[in-house]
Amino acid sequence: MSASVTPRVALVTGTSSGIGEAVVRHFCRLGHQVLAVDFNPAGREVAEEAGASFFQADLTDGDACRAAVAEAIKRFGRVDVLVNNAGVQHVSPIEEFPEAKWRQIIDLMLTAPFLLSQAVWPSMRENGWGRIVNIASVHAQVASPGKSAYISAKHGMIGLTKTAALEGGNQGITANAICPAYVKTPLVDNQIADQAKLHGMQEQEVIEQIMLKNAAVKRLIEPAEVAELVAYLASDSAGAVTGASWNIDLGWTAQ
Ligand SMILES: NC(=O)c1ccc[n+]([C@@H]2O[C@H](COP(=O)([O-])OP(=O)(O)OC[C@H]3O[C@@H](n4cnc5c(N)ncnc54)[C@H](O)[C@@H]3O)[C@@H](O)[C@H]2O)c1
């Protein structure tokens, strides 16, 4: 553990793969106590291998969100850091977008971060220290066709982040959002395969011609690169940083 890192209690959502898994591994290496929360039971093995605890919860359910926070407080006595990361994608035009999918995405990616922030707030306020890190997306800044629910949830997450920053400012609680472009995770692997089928392209062509079309840096992002930024925003060093959206987007939104 680095001498400059204060061990904290962190609750991280969406941890069975991708960015959430990378955050759990990085936090454990830094010496934090982590409750990894996911609806996929495979998350238990990932968490235990990293040195974290695991709690299985479907975060589209408000009671499950509150139960996850109660579990963290029961195990560790407090929550210092909340990383709202769990997410799913569904691509179809507005005209055909299934209402159930819309509701699932808004529940998971906007309502759950709100309910989890609400549930961890008393612990952070009592300790006069808290960090909320919301994994948004480049799609919190710009839109693409076919992703209405995802884009609406991610844009909403920026509003939630800014409001939490204002309310937490005099309580030692910061809130920031991270806005990545395409990160090498199962969520993106599925999209590559789907788009390749849809457009009759090779997977490499999908990456180069669709996913990296707007990128200045022509490569996918590694989950560990996002985890490093999460760790900074969750650190003591970032106490003056709040209400901000941190692009890690290969230069996508620079144009
Ligand atoms: N991969 C990218 O390119 C990219 C880019 C920008 C933002 N993001 C965001 O990063 C976050 C993580 O995505 P990822 O790419 O690592 O994907 P991923 O599919 O690897 O991880 C998503 C995690 O969320 C969990 N999850 C899904 N539904 C859940 C539910 N109802 N309750 C609890 N957990 C649930 C999954 O089991 C999984 O562990 C998402 O919010 C995503 O929108 C990803």
Side-chain angles (χ1 to χ4, degrees):
M1 186 179 75
S2 152
S4 61
V5 176
T6 309
R8 301 288 181 185
V9 173
L11 189 161
V12 184
T13 71
T15 54
S16 69
S17 59
I19 295 169
E21 176 182 353
V23 171
V24 168
R25 290 186 187 283
H26 193 53
F27 274 11
C28 288
R29 276 195 298 271
L30 291 172
H32 298 318
Q33 290 176 294
V34 180
L35 184 67
V37 181
D38 204 294
F39 77 156
N40 182 347
R44 181 177 301 280
E45 202 180 320
V46 171
E48 286 173 0
E49 197 201 303
S53 300
F54 179 70
F55 186 74
Q56 190 178 354
D58 179 347
L59 297 169
T60 59
D61 172 6
D63 287 338
C65 293
R66 287 180 282 271
V69 173
E71 178 69 17
I73 290 174
K74 191 175 101 194
R75 277 182 198 239
F76 304 121
R78 61 185 203 277
V79 178
D80 303 313
V81 178
L82 169 66
V83 182
N84 283 309
N85 168 75
V88 291
Q89 178 62 282
H90 180 82
V91 181
S92 84
I94 290 174
E95 206 180 347
E96 292 158 21
F97 208 96
E99 179 182 341
K101 272 285 163 201
W102 169 277
R103 291 190 186 280
Q104 179 204 358
I105 288 177
I106 299 296
D107 283 351
L108 177 63
M109 292 162 61
L110 188 55
T111 306
F114 162 72
L115 293 173
L116 289 161
S117 300
Q118 185 176 58
V120 299
W121 205 278
S123 172
M124 292 182 175
R125 179 176 31 76
E126 277 159 27
N127 293 316
W129 199 98
R131 299 281 185 267
I132 297 172
V133 183
N134 291 324
I135 307 300
S137 168
V138 68
H139 281 123
Q141 318 266 1
V142 297
S144 299
K147 300 182 178 178
S148 54
Y150 185 95
I151 285 163
S152 301
K154 294 301 192 186
H155 275 67
M157 195 177 224
I158 301 299
L160 174 64
T161 304
K162 289 179 179 173
T163 310
L166 296 184
E167 294 187 13
N170 62 1
Q171 300 175 352
I173 302 170
T174 68
N176 290 282
I178 295 181
C179 300
Y182 289 103
V183 185
K184 247 189 253 170
T185 71
L187 187 139
V188 160
D189 289 342
N190 294 336
Q191 285 186 62
I192 295 171
D194 288 351
Q195 301 246 20
K197 253 187 247 151
L198 188 71
H199 301 290
M201 294 165 105
Q202 297 296 314
E203 295 201 352
Q204 193 54 31
E205 287 175 321
V206 170
I207 295 172
E208 286 165 12
Q209 293 171 29
I210 299 179
M211 295 190 161
L212 298 179
K213 186 170 145 248
N214 297 313
V217 178
K218 298 287 185 193
R219 67 168 175 84
L220 297 178
I221 301 162
E222 295 294 334
E225 294 178 288
V226 182
E228 294 265 0
L229 184 51
V230 175
Y232 165 67
L233 293 172
S235 72
D236 285 313
S237 311
V241 177
T242 196
S245 299
W246 289 70
N247 295 347
I248 171 165
D249 69 359
L250 311 163
W252 180 330
T253 53
Q255 53 191 306

